[in-house]
Structure formats: structure tokens, C-alpha cells
Amino acid sequence: MRGAAETSEREERIDLSHVEFDRKLNRLLGDPLPMRELALWLAMSKHQREVAMKRMEALANWKPEDDSGNPAAAALAAGLKKNHFYEMAKAWRAVPSLASVEVLAAAPRARVSEYDDALDAHVTTAFDEVSTDGGVIVNKVAERLATLAAADLNEIPSFATLRRKVLAEQRRRERSAQPGGHLNFDCCAFAMANLDRPERIAFAIIDRRTQLVLGAALGNARQARHGYGLAAVDALRRIGTGSLKGLAWADRLEQTELVTGLDDGLLRVGVEAAWAGLPVVQPAGKPGRYLRRAAGDRMGRMLFLSADRLAKSADGDAREVGDAGDDAARLQVEVEIHNAAILPDLVEDPAPRLSAGLVATLEFFAHRPHHGLSEQSEPS
């Protein structure tokens, strides 16, 4: 099936090799640990991980073909009734996976509705029929999509569902073949299941043309320069050795916009960038505007919150940001899944050359001297 093949291809593009995790998972689920399993693990709360580990240990240690252990004792060790343990053991023996131990209801993925297959089959036609002279009126495309999909559906989905599908198609069409020509630095408060705090603030560096998230990090909106610095370090890793390393990049970085958050010190960033000889960096925009442009109201399990939540989410102890290892890893999962859906549309290059302007801009925010990746770069 095409859908299953696409899902498999996307999972292969997810790179979480830099993320720390409990090495017991290698023994239980495979070495190297499949990226899908790590994504599931990172999506769990501390309590869910404890339950999952207890169940996996019991399932792995119970080997009925070797007569190794009493099933009642194994079920007790797993914290389950014997019949439930037998059912889980059958699933585990077929596919040893965190999905088999029934702790998470689903893998961390973007929302999928029952209408998605029908809408996917018609959204391209709706776009082609309604758009004229390159212009798109989203509401009209959504109305046409509803008409086209009606034959496949018992009831028409909500307008919000139709609009979400149309906007996703619009973002797909807007992508260019080569990222790295136009950057957006953005920050936004977000909520997500199983965060260690109710809300966090994400700093992200987004390629405007492809909607790839080059780098992301947690931070405090009152210390936005530091947050963007961490995101820039993440971007340098991702484009150098991570999941974006094999792309064909634009010859030059032409423009950068940066949301200042609550850090007034960043109002001078354009002048500082000019002094450093970088392509133009322009302070601009409402928090979250570029993330929403790239992903909509959600990026996977992340729900972007309104701009006025930025201050409230920034009021926590700064040490909580520094110690947020699990939440930082959860953010990485969502970034990788978001990017994996885009990468099949982009051009690959076995010997990519990054523009000096792109690398220098990232190193400027990461507080690094201009070297390393730039050695393989062309002048901007």
C-alpha cells in the first residue's frame, strides 16, 4: 500500500541518534534502537515509561518454549491479569515494540481524521480547478474539495478539517527545491501531552521556502538570544551530520526575519548582523507566525498557543529550561517527524555545498567562530 510505504520512508528519515535514552531499550527492542521506538519512548511520561519497562522486562524474560517461568508470576511481574498478559505476550512475540505493551494509545504523529484518505484523493484537483493566475482563495478551494469528496463520504467533514487539508496542500505547493535561501527565526509557547511542565517555549529556525525546521530548542522568551543560540547549534548539527545533511542547498542566503520574543536586546540584531558582514537579519513579526505558516496550528503533537501565552510561559525558573532534557527530546521528535514528511519532495545531493551566508548566520547566533561547516561552503 502506498500509505504504508510512505510511512516507512518517512520513519527512515527520522534521525534521533543524538538523543540520550535508557540503554535497556537496546536489549529489549533492538540494537541499534529503531527510531520509531525511540520516538514512542520519548513521547511517554515518566510514569508511562516505568509501566512500559516493567511490562517489557516481564515479556522478554518469559519464554514458554523453554519452560522458563510461571505464567502467573510473569503476569504479576508485568502488573497484569493472566489473560491480559497472554494477549500482550502474543503481540510482543509477533512484534517486540512499545506499541505492544499498551501504554501509549498511538505513536506521536500529526492528527489524522477518518476523512483524510478521501480528501487526499481530491485536494490536488480542487486546487487546480479553483486557483487561477497563481492566486489561491483557501475557502473556495475548501468548498470545491467538499463537493469532490462528497461521493466518497457518508457525511461532509467540518470546514475546519477541509481548511486544514487545503492549507497543508498549499504549503506543499509553495516548497522550492532548495532550502537555505530565506530563514525565519520564530518563538512560540506550546502545549503537548506528557510535558514535564504544562507549557514550554520553542525557538525554531525555519526555512521559509520548504517549511523545514532546521533547528529547534526550548528556551525562555525573555532570553530569546540564548534560545535562538541553542536552536542554531541544533541547526548546524542537523544540516552537518543529521537528517538534513544530504539536501541540495540554495547558492546564497538572501534574507532572514527574526521574532524578538520578549528580549528587547534582539531589537539591535539587524545592526549587529550587518557589522558581522552577514546577509540582512530583520527583526519582525508576531510570535508564532512563522511556525504556523510552516505547520498550521499544530506540529505533530505540539499545539501552538496564542502570542499572549509567551509571557506566562516565560515566567518559570530558568533552571527548569536548562534541566528539561525529556521535554527537549520530545521537541526533537516532533521536528524530525515534521521534516520527514517534507524531505521526499526535495532534491538530494550526495555532495551538498552549504552557502557561506547560511553557515555564518547560524554560527553567529550559536556564538561560534565562522569555520567548520563553512569549509565546504560556497561564498554567499
Side-chain angles (χ1 to χ4, degrees), residues 330-359:
R330 291 173 180 124
L331 173 62
Q332 291 292 313
V333 170
E334 302 308 324
V335 168
E336 287 293 320
I337 292 173
H338 168 81
N339 286 346
I342 297 171
L343 288 172
D345 294 333
L346 304 182
V347 175
E348 297 185 3
D349 187 342
R353 300 184 70 85
L354 300 159
S355 76
L358 172 63
V359 176

Side-chain angles (χ1 to χ4, degrees), residues 51-363:
V51 173
M53 188 61 74
K54 180 167 69 172
R55 291 179 179 180
M56 288 191 295
E57 293 276 11
L59 290 165
N61 291 333
W62 184 58
K63 298 181 175 62
E65 67 277 9
D66 298 335
D67 196 26
S68 61
N70 182 297
L76 181 63
L80 299 169
K81 293 182 178 179
K82 189 160 68 172
N83 287 343
H84 191 183
F85 178 77
Y86 277 137
E87 293 173 2
M88 190 176 293
K90 182 178 179 180
W92 174 265
R93 289 164 69 84
V95 182
S97 169
L98 283 163
S100 302
V101 299
E102 302 176 11
V103 175
L104 273 180
R109 293 291 187 269
R111 294 177 302 170
V112 176
S113 77
E114 59 185 303
Y115 309 111
D116 273 20
D117 288 342
L119 298 181
D120 284 340
H122 296 290
V123 68
T124 299
T125 301
F127 243 94
D128 291 340
E129 290 183 357
V130 174
S131 60
T132 57
D133 299 325
V136 175
I137 300 175
V138 171
N139 288 1
K140 287 188 177 181
V141 180
E143 290 169 2
R144 182 58 180 153
L145 177 59
T147 301
L148 292 171
D152 301 335
L153 300 170
N154 294 325
E155 60 179 303
I156 300 300
S158 69
F159 188 77
T161 297
L162 292 165
R163 183 178 172 83
R164 174 172 63 85
K165 184 61 66 176
V166 171
L167 289 173
E169 173 66 9
Q170 184 178 41
R171 288 192 292 271
R172 187 190 69 78
R173 291 180 174 223
E174 288 176 348
R175 292 172 194 152
S176 72
Q178 293 182 316
H182 188 166
L183 299 184
N184 294 143
F185 284 59
D186 198 5
C187 58
C188 187
F190 72 94
M192 184 169 65
N194 295 333
L195 285 177
D196 293 338
R197 290 180 57 193
E199 299 174 9
R200 290 284 189 185
I201 295 174
F203 288 83
I205 302 172
I206 305 150
D207 181 74
R208 185 179 181 89
R209 294 172 182 166
T210 63
Q211 295 103 44
L212 286 172
V213 177
L214 305 189
L218 299 179
N220 187 312
R222 303 188 194 284
Q223 300 171 3
R225 183 181 292 273
H226 179 65
Y228 285 132
L230 296 176
V233 170
D234 187 48
L236 289 166
R237 177 197 59 78
R238 190 172 272 110
I239 68 178
T241 60
S243 55
L244 305 184
K245 65 182 178 181
L247 294 179
W249 293 86
D251 291 336
R252 60 182 289 118
L253 174 62
E254 299 171 358
Q255 187 176 357
T256 298
E257 289 107 1
L258 181 144
V259 173
T260 58
L262 304 178
D263 189 342
D264 292 340
L266 278 176
L267 293 174
R268 289 178 51 81
V269 70
V271 175
E272 295 172 2
W275 285 343
L278 301 177
V280 174
V281 178
Q282 178 181 348
K286 183 179 180 181
R289 65 178 296 190
Y290 298 121
L291 278 163
R292 285 187 170 87
R293 183 183 182 278
D297 290 333
R298 290 177 178 268
M299 188 168 73
R301 297 178 306 127
M302 295 172 64
L303 172 64
F304 299 133
L305 305 178
S306 60
D308 60 3
R309 304 295 293 182
L310 204 65
K312 181 177 180 180
S313 299
D315 289 335
D317 188 336
R319 288 175 299 178
E320 293 182 12
V321 174
D323 294 340
D326 282 347
D327 285 351
R330 291 173 180 124
L331 173 62
Q332 291 292 313
V333 170
E334 302 308 324
V335 168
E336 287 293 320
I337 292 173
H338 168 81
N339 286 346
I342 297 171
L343 288 172
D345 294 333
L346 304 182
V347 175
E348 297 185 3
D349 187 342
R353 300 184 70 85
L354 300 159
S355 76
L358 172 63
V359 176
T361 297
L362 294 176
E363 290 181 337

